[in-house]
Amino acid sequence: MTDPSLRSQEGNGEGMIDLDERNITTAGDVDVTEGTYGRISCAGDLRMTGKVQADSIKSAGDLMARGDVLVENMSIFGNAEFRENLKASSVSSFGDLESRGTVDAGELKVYGSMKGKVFNIEKLTVYGDIGSAEEINCDSIEVNGELHIEGAMNIGSGILNIMGHSSVNEIFCQDLRVNADEGSYKGILAGLISRGKGGRLEVQLIEGDDITLENTTCDIVRGKNIKIGREARIRRVEYQESLEIFENGEVKEREEF
């Protein structure tokens, strides 16, 4: 008798379920219910219900998860929606990723859009946009595009190459650089951005060690070494070791502490 936790819906191709290794490979769509698996590979849409744990998950179509997902490596080439929590060692998303729970990952690469509540990521790379998030915590982050964070970003090292109007409530960091020059965009995003279309970041508070800002509007910037560059408009800077203002950067109030 077939294990009731393994149900595949084959599309135009053939599917294979390895009950011994609990691997699933199908050229069509597949439904996976609660359980522990080895490899899950789907050329169509992948739908998961209940808590699913797997060594690897690959979906060439859209992915819908209605329970917690625990996986080592995940690749999604369509859109992905997680109704609960996602925990993974590495995730690559080539479409739109949306989470209603918490995302915990060693590495997350997004080539598209990501939305969610709380993201706890060691290394986060985004080529596209962070459409909305309540909180982002990561050791390192690189964003090439637009971002909207309702709460705080707690980061170690960060590079934000801004396109369009972006907003963050608070940023706490060790090392942060904000760029808004079309020359800063690279790789997959470079061909998608028209010449001369930079962006702007609006923040209430930025606090860290080494901070370099361009095209940024911020109420308070506080740190050790601070550089305020082109088109940056800062109401107040509180610095410990150095403050450099270059090009047409603007600081209304400054205080060394």
Side-chain angles (χ1 to χ4, degrees):
M1 179 179 295
T2 301
D3 190 326
S5 69
L6 296 171
R7 304 190 184 110
S8 70
Q9 294 181 349
E10 299 178 10
N12 296 326
E14 297 182 352
M16 178 180 68
I17 299 176
D18 187 335
L19 295 179
D20 292 330
E21 298 295 332
R22 295 183 67 83
N23 296 328
I24 300 176
T25 303
T26 177
D29 300 340
V30 66
D31 291 339
V32 176
T33 55
E34 183 169 344
T36 300
Y37 303 90
R39 299 182 306 275
I40 299 175
S41 180
C42 173
D45 294 340
L46 174 59
R47 297 173 291 268
M48 297 184 288
T49 57
K51 182 178 180 180
V52 173
Q53 183 170 350
D55 294 333
S56 66
I57 296 175
K58 182 178 180 180
S59 175
D62 295 340
L63 182 149
M64 166 65 76
R66 293 183 173 87
D68 289 346
V69 177
L70 290 80
V71 62
E72 284 295 314
N73 302 303
M74 172 179 280
S75 297
I76 311 158
F77 294 89
N79 297 328
E81 181 178 347
F82 298 91
R83 298 286 180 89
E84 300 294 338
N85 303 311
L86 168 63
K87 186 172 184 179
S89 294
S90 67
V91 178
S92 296
S93 173
F94 297 88
D96 295 340
L97 183 151
E98 181 175 358
S99 171
R100 299 186 185 180
T102 299
V103 177
D104 295 281
E107 183 172 12
L108 172 60
K109 294 181 179 180
V110 177
Y111 300 87
S113 175
M114 62 179 271
K115 297 180 180 180
K117 293 184 177 181
V118 178
F119 292 87
N120 301 313
I121 314 295
E122 291 181 19
K123 183 178 181 181
L124 174 61
T125 305
V126 179
Y127 291 93
D129 69 87
I130 301 177
S132 64
E134 294 180 4
E135 181 180 313
I136 290 184
N137 307 298
C138 54
D139 293 338
S140 67
I141 181 172
E142 179 180 348
V143 177
N144 299 275
E146 193 170 327
L147 68 157
H148 298 277
I149 315 294
E150 299 171 11
M153 293 179 68
N154 301 289
I155 62 179
S157 178
I159 299 176
L160 307 180
N161 297 317
I162 301 298
M163 180 184 71
H165 177 267
S166 296
S167 61
V168 180
N169 188 30
E170 298 177 323
I171 301 177
F172 300 96
C173 59
Q174 292 179 342
D175 181 9
L176 174 68
R177 182 177 183 90
V178 177
N179 304 305
D181 178 3
E182 67 273 12
S184 301
Y185 307 123
K186 58 186 179 179
I188 192 171
L189 196 69
L192 303 179
I193 300 175
S194 299
R195 289 287 180 180
K197 291 187 177 179
R200 189 160 197 86
L201 174 66
E202 292 190 4
V203 193
Q204 293 298 313
L205 169 68
I206 301 176
E207 185 172 312
D209 292 335
D210 298 300
I211 301 169
T212 301
L213 304 176
E214 296 180 358
N215 286 58
T216 301
T217 299
C218 186
D219 189 41
I220 299 175
V221 177
R222 183 182 296 124
K224 290 183 179 179
N225 303 293
I226 299 174
K227 296 180 180 180
I228 306 299
R230 185 176 57 176
E231 298 298 331
R233 304 288 180 260
I234 314 300
R235 185 187 68 82
R236 180 177 175 83
V237 169
E238 300 173 2
Y239 65 99
Q240 184 175 357
E241 296 181 5
S242 67
L243 169 62
E244 179 184 348
I245 303 173
F246 58 96
E247 295 191 23
N248 64 346
E250 179 183 296
V251 175
K252 292 184 178 180
E253 302 176 16
R254 67 189 75 180
E255 180 181 358
E256 184 176 2
F257 63 94

